[in-house]
Amino acid sequence: MKKLTVQIIIHIAAWMCFLMLPFAFYPRPQGDSFFEMKSITPYFVVNTLFIIAFYYVNIYLIIPRLLNEKKFAAYSLLIFGLLVVYSCMPRIYHALFGPIFPNQPRTPARQG
């Protein structure tokens, strides 16, 4: 039980460090707060949850079922497909929920 608790604490600490990287390296005017609420948009939360879900699904489901069974082609295709979905995520988010940034105007659909 203690080992599981330590493992969970390590995972939470690692994710917190990973999630702080954009705030640490994003340029901001001198005197501004390190954490600005305008930086934490709903898109940032959705994107972060997608990355975390991908990590755990990959580690606990995909790798044991495909890589451990030596199904390299299936694993590569699945990871490539998830990468394509992830690269389309801004467009999907924009279509479902509106602009990624709160002050960004909603663009109308293109006419054929």
Side-chain angles (χ1 to χ4, degrees):
M1 182 66 181
K2 187 174 182 174
K3 184 178 179 182
L4 178 64
T5 305
V6 171
Q7 186 177 12
I8 290 172
I9 291 171
I10 289 172
H11 277 249
I12 291 171
W15 282 115
M16 293 303 292
C17 290
F18 176 74
L19 295 175
M20 284 189 199
L21 286 174
F23 297 107
F25 293 108
Y26 188 76
R28 61 190 175 280
Q30 191 173 6
D32 278 3
S33 172
F34 184 71
F35 296 105
E36 289 189 37
M37 290 310 293
K38 66 181 179 182
S39 300
I40 304 175
T41 63
Y43 176 74
F44 176 80
V45 173
V46 169
N47 187 41
T48 301
L49 291 175
F50 187 86
I51 291 170
I52 292 171
F54 171 76
Y55 172 78
Y56 286 108
V57 166
N58 190 34
I59 291 297
Y60 293 114
L61 292 176
I62 300 172
I63 288 177
R65 291 185 181 172
L66 296 178
L67 278 187
N68 290 348
E69 301 295 323
K70 307 237 186 285
K71 298 178 182 176
F72 301 116
Y75 177 78
S76 299
L77 286 173
L78 182 60
I79 295 300
F80 180 74
L82 289 172
L83 182 63
V84 168
V85 169
Y86 181 72
S87 68
C88 295
M89 206 166 82
R91 287 180 178 258
I92 295 168
Y93 182 90
H94 186 74
L96 294 175
F97 303 111
I100 292 175
F101 298 104
N103 297 332
Q104 181 183 6
R106 191 175 194 132
T107 55
R110 291 184 179 170
Q111 299 295 324

